[in-house]
């Protein structure tokens, strides 16, 4: 039975592969994504969408770096880049949805909310940054940037990269605006890339910080805040597997929260891949959520019918 769902669109809902990363490639990919979303609304689902922005932020950081080297232009702070990608990606998703909604009987207004998320300035992530962002540098460039910009840089296989904090999302600042739009019948696109990380100053004002918030954790926060009946995370694999890409690989159709927590503790879901999605679904379920689904973007409609993906439900 249809209800209210939060659908977190993964990066492959926007781009497929690394061969073509143009805006037109995003538009082509989003046509198929939009068809899945519109099909859900046709079944009676009320939807709130979130999305990733990892590749786009990386491209923008690279462009900004080229500009800084060529003409001495100032580097753009990460919170501003996050806002820029929320706007541009949100616009492209809205464009694709509005085209798909043009069919008779399927019209639905779409709105994009550039969303801020409160984080704690005392979060341990700020003293131990781990999230790689932006281009690769030579050792000489990386050490120079560390000295000049105060960046934390680490050596990786392909070179040196900047790493930034990934603090816990605590509060969605623009929750009331999202709620009002939903009440008016809009399909809302919000919290792109996990939201713009901000901290509260002593006087109550908000200040953006150089960090990246995990989009799945922010999506879980939103799904819980709106008591969503379904929390669906789309990605580039069919679902969740044990021993992924190893001997004995086994795909899972249904899991209880306790089973998912046990497999997570056993190391089946690494931090850089499925781990954050499992953590997000557990937080949603622990806050009273009814069902979470992890599935491939092109299988969203079938997954909602129970025919695809991995379904994670509360313990009996």
């Amino acid at each position: 039975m249809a209800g209210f769902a939060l659908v977190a669109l993964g990066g492959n809902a926007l781009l497929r592969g690394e061969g073509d990363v143009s805006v037109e490639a995003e538009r082509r990919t989003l046509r198929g994504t939009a068809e899945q979303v519109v099909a859900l609304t046709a079944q009676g689902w009320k939807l709130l969408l979130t999305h990733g922005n990892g590749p786009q932020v990386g491209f923008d950081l690279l462009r900004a770096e080229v500009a800084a080297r060529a003409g001495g232009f100032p580097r753009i702070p990460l919170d501003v880049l996050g806002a820029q990608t929320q706007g541009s990606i949100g616009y492209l998703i809205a464009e694709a949805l509005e085209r798909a909604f043009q069919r008779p009987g399927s019209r639905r207004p779409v709105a994009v909310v550039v969303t801020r998320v409160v984080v704690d300035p005392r979060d341990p992530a700020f003293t131990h940054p781990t999230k790689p962002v932006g281009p690769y540098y030579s050792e000489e460039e990386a050490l120079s940037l560390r000295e000049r910009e105060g960046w934390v840089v680490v050596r990786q296989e392909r070179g040196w990269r900047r790493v930034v904090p990934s603090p816990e999302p605590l509060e969605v600042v623009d929750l009331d605006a999202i709620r009002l739009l939903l009440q008016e019948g809009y399909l809302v696109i919000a919290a792109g890339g996990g939201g713009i990380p901000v901290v509260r100053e002593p006087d109550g004002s908000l200040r953006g910080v150089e960090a990246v918030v995990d989009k799945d954790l922010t999506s879980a926060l939103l799904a819980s805040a709106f008591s969503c009946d379904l929390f669906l995370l789309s990605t580039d694999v069919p679902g969740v597997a044990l021993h992924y890409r190893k001997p004995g690989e086994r795909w899972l159709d249904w899991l209880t929260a306790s089973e998912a927590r046990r497999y997570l503790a056993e190391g089946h879901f690494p931090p850089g891949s499925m781990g954050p999605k499992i953590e997000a679904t557990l937080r949603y379920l622990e806050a009273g959520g009814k069902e979470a689904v992890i599935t491939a973007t092109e299988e969203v409609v079938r997954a909602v019918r129970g025919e695809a993906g991995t379904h994670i439900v509360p313990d009996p």
Side-chain angles (χ1 to χ4, degrees), residues 2-5 37-49 93-111 181-189:
F4 183 19
V37 172
V38 171
L40 289 183
T41 65
Q43 295 173 11
W45 285 93
K46 179 181 179 181
L47 299 179
L48 170 60
L49 301 185
I93 296 173
E95 178 187 64
L97 288 171
E98 286 167 347
R99 286 181 184 276
F101 277 129
Q102 285 179 350
R103 289 191 294 270
S106 66
R107 295 187 183 276
R108 181 73 59 87
V110 180
L181 288 164
L182 289 168
Q183 289 172 349
E184 290 298 318
Y186 282 81
L187 191 159
V188 179
I189 303 160

Side-chain angles (χ1 to χ4, degrees), residues 12-35:
N12 76 314
L14 311 171
L15 282 171
R16 294 208 177 265
E18 299 180 356
D20 185 354
V21 295
S22 66
V23 169
E24 285 310 310
E26 287 190 71
R27 282 193 165 109
R28 287 193 299 272
T29 301
L30 280 169
R31 289 183 199 129
T33 302
E35 291 296 330

Side-chain angles (χ1 to χ4, degrees), residues 264-283:
L264 180 65
E266 290 173 355
H268 286 284
F269 312 129
S273 57
M274 194 57 72
K277 288 179 171 49
I278 296 295
E279 179 62 36
T281 62
L282 289 173
R283 293 188 187 191

Side-chain angles (χ1 to χ4, degrees), residues 214-229:
D214 185 273
K215 70 176 177 62
D216 295 322
L217 297 185
T218 300
S219 297
L221 195 63
L222 271 175
S224 300
F226 285 110
S227 301
C228 289
D229 301 294

Side-chain angles (χ1 to χ4, degrees), residues 21-23 26 55-70 73-76 81 84-85 88 134-135:
V21 295
S22 66
V23 169
E26 287 190 71
Q56 290 82 2
V57 164
F59 303 151
D60 285 352
L61 280 168
L62 183 56
R63 293 187 191 101
E65 186 65 23
V66 171
R69 292 174 179 176
F73 294 99
R75 289 181 169 84
I76 302 172
L81 278 175
Q84 289 179 352
T85 55
S88 61

Side-chain angles (χ1 to χ4, degrees), residues 231-314:
F231 177 30
L232 189 146
L233 299 96
S234 81
T235 182
D236 57 355
V237 291
V240 175
L242 301 181
H243 308 290
Y244 179 59
R245 290 184 175 177
K246 297 176 182 177
E249 177 183 81
R250 178 162 65 92
W251 294 93
L252 304 171
D253 297 327
W254 291 85
L255 281 172
T256 63
S258 60
E259 288 172 329
R261 191 177 295 106
R262 175 163 57 86
Y263 291 141
L264 180 65
E266 290 173 355
H268 286 284
F269 312 129
S273 57
M274 194 57 72
K277 288 179 171 49
I278 296 295
E279 179 62 36
T281 62
L282 289 173
R283 293 188 187 191
Y284 160 75
L285 294 173
E286 288 165 358
K290 298 177 182 177
E291 181 182 354
V293 181
I294 299 174
T295 190
T297 301
E298 63 272 16
E299 297 283 6
V300 162
V301 174
R302 292 185 63 244
V304 170
R305 293 200 300 258
E307 300 170 1
T310 300
H311 298 249
I312 307 174
V313 295

